[in-house]
Amino acid sequence: MASSKDAKATKDAKPKVPKRDKSARKRRKSAEVIDKSSRYDFSYTQNREISWLRFDDRVLEEAYDETVPLFERLNFAAIFQSNLDEFFMIRVGGLSDLATLKRQPVDNKSNLTPSEQIELIFSSLPPLIKRQNDIVEKIESELQNHGVYRIGVDELTGDERTFVEGYFQSYVSPVISPFVIDPRHPFPNLRNGALYIVCALESEEEENLIGLIEVPASMNRVVAMPSETDTFRFILLEDVILACLPSCFGAYAPAGRAVVRVTRNADIDPDGEGVEEDEDYRQHMKKILKKRLRLQPVALQVQGSLEAATLKSIRKSLGLPARSVLSYATPLDLGYIYSVESHLPNHRADLLFPPFKPQTSSMFDMSRPMREQVIEGDKLLFYPYESMSPLLDLMHQAAFDDSCISIKITLYRVAKQSRLCESLIDAAENGKEVTVLMELRARFDEQNNIEWAERLEEAGCTVIYGSEGFKCHSKICQITYREGMALTRITLLGTGNFNEKTARLYSDFMLMTAHPGIGEDANAFFRNLALGNLSGDYRYLGVAPAGLKPLIMNGLNREIDRARAGEPARVFFKMNSLTDREVIDKIAEASQAGVEVEMIIRGISCLLPGIAGKTENVHIRSIVGRFLEHARVYSFGVDNDIVYLSSADMMTRNTEHRVEIAYPVLDATCREMVQSYMHAQLEDNVKARELSNTGTWEKIERGDDAMPFNSQEYLLKHAYARAAAAAEQKHKEEKQAEPQVAESQEDYEAAKAVLAAAARAVAQQKREAAAVAAADARVAPSDGAGTGAGAEAAGIDGTQAAAAPTTVPASIAEVDGARIDPAIDHVAERSSAAEQAAQEAEAVSEREATSQSAGAASEPPAAATGPSSGAEPKTAPVAPHATTQEAQATSVKATVIDPEDEHGEQAKASSSARFAATTTLAKRKPGRFRAGLALIGIGLKTLFVGTPEERGK
């Protein structure tokens, strides 16, 4: 080890820059910055912020699309505005911070500084805001034709004004706090995103007074007004205050009035604020959320008319330049429309998209345990077309499964009402080991995540948080089961959140697999997260920040090598945004090598396609429609032999500064589903737009004979059809597997006839038993006779038995038998024949008792055969020394013989026609239902009169 003296000597030996060369050092650093920017090719890239604004304009285009239901068009206008608000808070806010630096960094896609980007943004905004104002006014005008009216202050009639004033005095006035801004009362803090009423105040004694009222966020913003049937008239809460403004400031008279809203920088780094050693991270995040409300303003939105001096005073108090003031002719926050939707008149079907229900995946049988089905093979759910229920059921079943020992999951955005989190709580309370990595830094969902983290921890879950500086954006869950000494792992991997609400709105994939290799990787992933290790080694998963980008780059390199070798080469990417400079350059390299690059990018694309010599083989589309395209797919090869799904976009923040996962689709069926999805999206010519080489989104040109194809509508219909086909197939399988049931009136009547015959046979047993006992006592068995004793006792032959049905009296069995198919008629007739034969046998026995004669029958008795058989009755000889009990046993055994089996008929024996009732009752057509009914009859007989042995006694 070197001594401290040697170290000091080495330090002293380093060349020093003289103080007089300080300016030269600055010039050298400046040259380094220029060199850094000059090493990028900007000919095929564009600025990220401008690309985002063009995407939001594409959203607004849906509001202009007259094929979209009218109220849904208003929804798209609201989404446009909400997107723009977030853009100001995050992107403009972050650029504003960078613009304050003396040495501003240069964007590696556009070579612009933050200040230059901000100028470019604000110069692009006025046309967009005008388009929004124009379409909102037009849609509201058209909604009046459907009975929906938003009433402005100037539109109030006499009765309506009276209603508004009464509402204001009763409900609003007690809540608001008018504030006067003067030299003694400085300008207050305006909360981020809140609405305020602002006006100039006139006074004889003072000048430059400003009145300010915050619109109460605790009250309903939509105030319903008296309306006629099938109409809905409403006024916004801020307009209620404006209409009654003269009564708010006492002696001061309002002059000019407007609604204003301040948008503040919300791009705050929770980790950059520093966490005290003894501070709970949840409490730290709560302080961050409060701080966000007071950060630097970035824009001022104004609706209404204010005097120039008043507006200037407000702008300067906020520290904003004139360019940051944005004027609107429509409400500043269109979020109120979500409250209006529930009040639409009865003909609302014309105003909204047709309702849909996510369908049950055809890969699942909801009547079976989910665990078994996932173990049988990989399953892939496709939201929102398919329901999230299989996943939720799996979690719920695991919570109550004794063999489940642990559940581990990462949560980024969670629904406020979450079945999944409730299942985690159940699992913890049932003694499972439940570990939840809750990401508290999910922007604008922090408060909800904090609340769920507290609930989960109270229930006994182990709650951990993401590593410092790296948000955990991955969507993964692992359920571990133990049976004996064996462990089974089921791993759930998604492109979107474990969120029941967004699963009905966002297009996402969820893979459910018991693959051992993926399970081992997932287990290692959770172990590394707990240890703070972000550079784990995985066989199947690509995990950012260390392993995701290399996986994508290796896939691109493989296709580049194929193209350079003269082989077909292709990649398909689907993502939300593309901004990572390294990935962009690699895609350009692939294009130049001859690789066909197909991409669907919903939002930002800093890569420009179609640039000659650079990206001419790159084709980029975007789909904006009813559902938010959110899935990420990375596929390599002409045959898509490698397919990865992922939670990550190709943005630097995802590939280098977050914990993300890309996972392979190994199952052939699941891969085929993904390929089918990709193909449908590439065929879209209705909602798809193609990115031009100038960075604008252009409509897909359709040929004269090309039919319109909306991929989202197709996938929705396909989900319905697939679910219906699966239900039909399941119904067929169940029908084949279950016992036959009465499917028609004939089958129903047949069942009645069989049961009636069984009941009749039981009722006759006592009467028959007495007659048989008397006959058996009088007739002695013959030593050498080959005929049965039962036949001698009966005193009848086969001819008598066969003729019996011709004299059978009318009975319920005959009536029922007349209404069923011939096979059932046959059974009913044989039952009636047996009954008649028993009656004849009783009569013969009585005659024999009178004459004291025992005439032996020369022929053995034949099994009673109904006339429908069309053949002579068959005989079955009885063993020479067979007793009556043995004959009875033989006849009972014959009840399961197939009536169509000739050998079975020949093997059958009966001691008398009396036993034909037992035999023929069970002689049914093949089928579980009819055989079952026959067995029921036998059981009833045995229950009431005992076994053959008992009856013989």
Side-chain angles (χ1 to χ4, degrees):
M1 179 181 294
S3 65
S4 58
K5 184 179 295 184
D6 293 337
K8 186 175 184 300
T10 303
K11 181 178 179 181
D12 293 340
K14 293 181 179 178
K16 297 181 179 180
V17 179
K19 292 184 178 180
R20 63 177 180 273
D21 292 332
K22 187 175 181 179
S23 59
R25 185 167 57 200
K26 287 184 177 180
R27 286 193 300 272
R28 204 161 43 241
K29 286 186 178 181
S30 177
E32 291 175 359
V33 172
I34 294 173
D35 290 339
K36 184 178 180 180
S37 63
S38 64
R39 62 190 176 95
Y40 293 114
D41 184 350
F42 300 106
S43 64
Y44 54 86
T45 58
Q46 65 172 335
N47 179 255
R48 165 181 173 159
E49 321 309 336
I50 297 304
S51 178
W52 189 94
L53 288 174
R54 287 170 174 164
F55 153 71
D56 206 25
D57 186 38
R58 169 68 188 93
V59 174
L60 188 61
E61 187 178 328
E62 288 297 293
Y64 278 86
D65 187 351
E66 296 185 356
T67 64
V68 176
L70 188 59
F71 198 81
E72 300 290 357
R73 292 166 61 189
L74 193 58
N75 276 333
F76 279 109
I79 294 171
F80 165 85
Q81 188 184 66
S82 175
N83 288 345
L84 196 59
D85 292 340
E86 183 174 340
F87 175 74
F88 274 115
M89 287 187 283
I90 305 304
R91 296 305 306 166
V92 178
L95 289 172
S96 298
D97 289 340
L98 293 175
T100 61
L101 300 177
K102 292 183 179 180
R103 293 180 51 79
Q104 298 182 23
V106 176
D107 174 42
N108 62 5
K109 272 83 68 178
S110 61
N111 204 25
L112 298 176
T113 65
S115 296
E116 293 170 337
Q117 293 179 70
I118 291 174
E119 288 289 343
L120 190 59
I121 290 169
F122 279 104
S123 65
S124 303
L125 284 175
L128 290 177
I129 294 174
K130 183 179 184 306
R131 274 170 50 81
Q132 178 196 344
N133 288 331
D134 291 345
I135 194 59
V136 170
E137 289 179 343
K138 181 180 180 181
I139 293 173
E140 287 187 332
S141 176
E142 294 181 13
L143 281 173
Q144 293 181 6
N145 298 329
H146 295 269
V148 181
Y149 298 82
R150 181 178 69 84
I151 308 301
V153 176
D154 299 333
E155 299 173 315
L156 291 172
T157 62
D159 292 341
E160 289 176 337
R161 185 170 291 277
T162 301
F163 170 82
V164 167
E165 290 174 352
Y167 183 88
F168 176 81
Q169 293 298 331
S170 300
Y171 301 103
V172 183
S173 181
V175 178
I176 61 175
S177 300
F179 186 83
V180 177
I181 302 172
D182 58 21
R184 297 181 300 278
H185 301 87
F187 198 86
N189 175 70
L190 303 186
R191 294 188 300 110
N192 181 40
L195 297 175
Y196 293 86
I197 306 297
V198 177
C199 63
L201 298 177
E202 294 180 349
S203 172
E204 296 180 356
E205 301 177 357
E206 299 179 81
E207 297 181 351
N208 301 324
L209 299 180
I210 298 176
L212 184 71
I213 302 174
E214 182 175 359
V215 178
S218 60
M219 298 185 65
N220 291 331
R221 193 168 165 218
V222 175
V223 180
M225 301 182 65
S227 306
E228 298 177 356
T229 304
D230 208 25
T231 61
F232 180 63
R233 298 171 66 86
F234 68 96
I235 186 172
L236 296 180
L237 184 59
E238 59 263 34
D239 288 331
V240 171
I241 300 174
L242 285 172
C244 302
L245 197 60
S247 63
C248 295
F249 292 99
Y252 297 109
R257 62 199 67 186
V259 182
V260 301
R261 183 171 68 158
V262 174
T263 303
R264 295 180 178 273
N265 178 10
D267 188 29
I268 185 171
D269 180 11
D271 298 322
E273 297 298 310
V275 185
E276 300 296 335
E277 291 184 2
D278 58 348
E279 183 180 22
D280 187 311
Y281 191 64
R282 291 195 300 265
Q283 298 301 320
H284 171 73
M285 287 302 304
K286 290 178 181 179
K287 292 193 300 184
I288 293 297
L289 296 182
K290 291 181 180 179
K291 186 175 181 180
R292 179 183 285 168
L293 299 176
R294 303 175 61 89
L295 290 178
Q296 179 66 28
V298 294
L300 174 65
Q301 298 167 304
V302 180
Q303 177 204 2
S305 58
L306 283 175
E307 295 181 357
T310 303
L311 183 59
K312 182 178 180 180
S313 176
I314 296 172
R315 176 173 61 78
K316 286 190 173 183
S317 298
L318 294 171
L320 291 172
R323 72 185 181 196
S324 299
V325 178
L326 308 173
S327 297
Y328 286 78
T330 54
L332 297 183
D333 183 0
L334 293 178
Y336 72 88
I337 70 171
Y338 304 114
S339 299
V340 174
E341 182 174 335
S342 60
H343 296 283
L344 292 178
N346 294 332
H347 49 274
R348 57 185 294 165
D350 299 333
L351 304 176
L352 301 171
F353 285 124
F356 87 100
K357 178 182 178 182
Q359 297 298 292
T360 300
S361 171
S362 59
M363 303 185 80
F364 281 97
D365 180 352
M366 300 304 291
S367 63
R368 295 177 55 205
M370 297 296 109
R371 171 191 171 189
E372 295 178 2
Q373 298 181 68
V374 176
I375 291 175
E376 290 171 359
D378 290 1
K379 303 294 187 290
L380 186 67
L381 298 180
F382 187 15
Y383 309 145
Y385 311 104
E386 294 178 338
S387 171
M388 192 182 182
S389 294
L391 183 148
L392 298 176
D393 287 356
L394 174 66
M395 298 293 291
H396 178 75
Q397 292 166 11
F400 295 91
D401 189 338
D402 292 338
S403 62
C404 174
I405 60 175
S406 73
I407 301 176
K408 301 175 183 179
I409 191 171
T410 61
L411 297 177
Y412 191 75
R413 299 189 192 276
V414 186
K416 292 184 182 297
Q417 304 294 328
S418 175
R419 269 187 62 194
L420 183 140
C421 286
E422 295 294 347
S423 294
L424 294 175
I425 291 174
D426 289 337
E429 292 176 345
N430 289 334
K432 320 295 184 189
E433 180 186 344
V434 180
T435 303
V436 180
L437 190 149
M438 179 69 77
E439 183 50 78
L440 299 187
R441 295 164 294 183
R443 187 175 288 128
F444 305 125
D445 274 326
E446 297 94 340
Q447 185 61 44
N448 184 56
N449 287 5
I450 289 172
E451 293 171 0
W452 269 117
E454 292 173 344
R455 281 196 60 191
L456 291 166
E457 197 167 64
E458 289 172 0
C461 300
T462 300
V463 181
I464 61 177
Y465 307 107
S467 301
E468 182 176 353
F470 295 87
K471 286 185 182 180
C472 184
H473 190 251
S474 56
K475 285 75 176 174
I476 182 172
C477 173
Q478 185 166 77
I479 306 172
T480 303
Y481 302 87
R482 171 178 289 161
E483 292 182 350
M485 297 301 294
L487 292 181
T488 303
R489 295 188 177 101
I490 290 179
T491 307
L492 314 178
L493 294 151
T495 64
N497 294 294
F498 294 103
N499 187 312
E500 293 92 326
K501 181 179 179 180
T502 59
R504 298 178 62 91
L505 302 172
Y506 294 5
S507 171
D508 273 309
F509 287 110
M510 177 63 66
L511 178 66
M512 306 170 71
T513 179
H515 189 281
I518 293 178
E520 288 292 339
D521 276 5
N523 187 52
F525 173 82
F526 281 106
R527 184 171 59 249
N528 289 331
L529 281 184
L531 298 175
N533 177 18
L534 302 181
S535 302
D537 186 23
Y538 306 95
R539 292 179 58 199
Y540 291 89
L541 304 180
V543 180
L548 176 59
K549 187 188 290 188
L551 184 148
I552 302 299
M553 301 294 268
N554 289 340
L556 286 167
N557 285 331
R558 189 192 76 162
E559 297 306 306
I560 290 173
D561 292 340
R562 287 181 173 182
R564 288 174 178 167
E567 301 175 10
R570 179 181 180 270
V571 298
F572 171 86
F573 291 168
K574 183 181 188 300
M575 64 191 85
N576 297 332
S577 296
L578 172 62
T579 66
D580 189 298
R581 182 73 212 207
E582 290 184 44
V583 177
I584 289 173
D585 290 341
K586 182 59 69 173
I587 292 173
E589 180 184 346
S591 173
Q592 294 166 30
V595 179
E596 180 186 355
V597 181
E598 294 277 359
M599 292 195 288
I600 298 177
I601 303 176
R602 187 195 77 216
I604 304 168
S605 174
C606 292
L607 174 65
L608 294 175
I611 304 298
K614 303 293 178 63
T615 59
E616 64 266 30
N617 290 320
V618 177
H619 307 278
I620 302 176
R621 291 188 173 202
S622 173
I623 295 177
V624 176
R626 178 177 184 176
F627 305 119
L628 180 74
E629 294 295 334
H630 194 253
R632 289 88 164 187
V633 182
Y634 302 100
S635 174
F636 304 92
V638 174
D639 298 326
N640 300 309
D641 56 305
I642 298 178
V643 177
Y644 278 87
L645 304 178
S646 180
S647 60
D649 296 310
M650 288 298 102
M651 305 176 72
T652 306
R653 72 176 188 187
N654 298 92
T655 58
E656 297 181 5
H657 304 295
R658 286 187 177 181
V659 179
E660 305 272 12
I661 291 180
Y663 50 96
V665 183
L666 303 177
D667 181 81
T669 301
C670 295
R671 189 185 299 116
E672 179 61 31
M673 290 177 61
V674 176
Q675 292 177 2
S676 175
Y677 160 72
M678 295 187 300
H679 178 73
Q681 295 247 300
L682 290 173
E683 291 296 316
D684 195 310
N685 56 21
V686 175
K687 295 301 179 182
R689 299 292 184 270
E690 189 167 13
L691 187 63
S692 70
N693 57 11
T694 60
T696 59
W697 294 105
E698 307 293 340
K699 287 187 177 182
I700 305 295
E701 295 185 3
R702 293 199 298 262
D704 296 336
D705 56 346
M707 296 294 294
F709 182 77
N710 184 330
S711 62
Q712 291 189 350
E713 293 298 327
Y714 164 79
L715 292 169
L716 186 58
K717 293 177 182 177
H718 190 57
Y720 273 94
R722 195 164 55 242
E728 182 178 358
Q729 179 63 27
K730 180 183 177 183
H731 176 69
K732 290 181 179 179
E733 293 174 355
E734 290 176 346
K735 183 178 178 181
Q736 294 173 355
E738 69 183 5
Q740 297 179 15
V741 298
E743 296 184 348
S744 66
Q745 183 65 22
E746 292 182 349
D747 287 338
Y748 175 70
E749 298 297 341
K752 288 174 60 179
V754 172
L755 292 176
R760 246 188 343 268
V762 172
Q764 294 168 356
Q765 291 304 311
K766 291 183 179 180
R767 179 167 54 85
E768 297 172 2
V772 171
D776 289 343
R778 290 192 299 271
V779 179
S782 174
D783 291 339
T787 57
E792 295 174 343
I796 59 175
D797 58 16
T799 305
Q800 290 174 302
T806 62
T807 60
V808 125
S811 64
I812 295 176
E814 286 182 82
V815 176
D816 289 341
R819 287 179 284 181
I820 57 179
D821 59 82
I824 304 302
D825 284 335
H826 176 63
V827 173
E829 291 167 357
R830 293 180 66 171
S831 298
S832 298
E835 181 182 2
Q836 183 66 20
Q839 294 174 355
E840 294 290 340
E842 184 178 357
V844 170
S845 297
E846 292 176 353
R847 289 195 300 270
E848 289 177 347
T850 303
S851 62
Q852 296 295 316
S853 63
S858 59
E859 297 291 337
T865 305
S868 62
S869 64
E872 291 297 325
K874 297 180 181 180
T875 62
V878 181
H881 301 286
T883 65
T884 301
Q885 292 180 354
E886 290 171 342
Q888 288 176 334
T890 304
S891 65
V892 172
K893 184 176 181 181
T895 58
V896 296
I897 294 176
D898 191 329
E900 304 299 328
D901 186 357
E902 295 182 359
H903 300 289
E905 289 287 347
Q906 294 172 359
K908 181 177 172 185
S910 177
S911 62
S912 72
R914 176 174 57 86
F915 299 120
T918 303
T919 304
T920 56
L921 177 63
K923 278 196 167 184
R924 310 284 302 158
K925 287 282 189 179
R928 296 184 181 179
F929 176 70
R930 296 173 181 175
L933 289 176
L935 293 174
I936 290 173
I938 296 170
L940 289 172
K941 179 176 179 179
T942 303
L943 177 65
F944 282 99
V945 302
T947 65
E949 291 80 359
E950 293 172 341
R951 292 199 300 274
K953 293 178 182 179

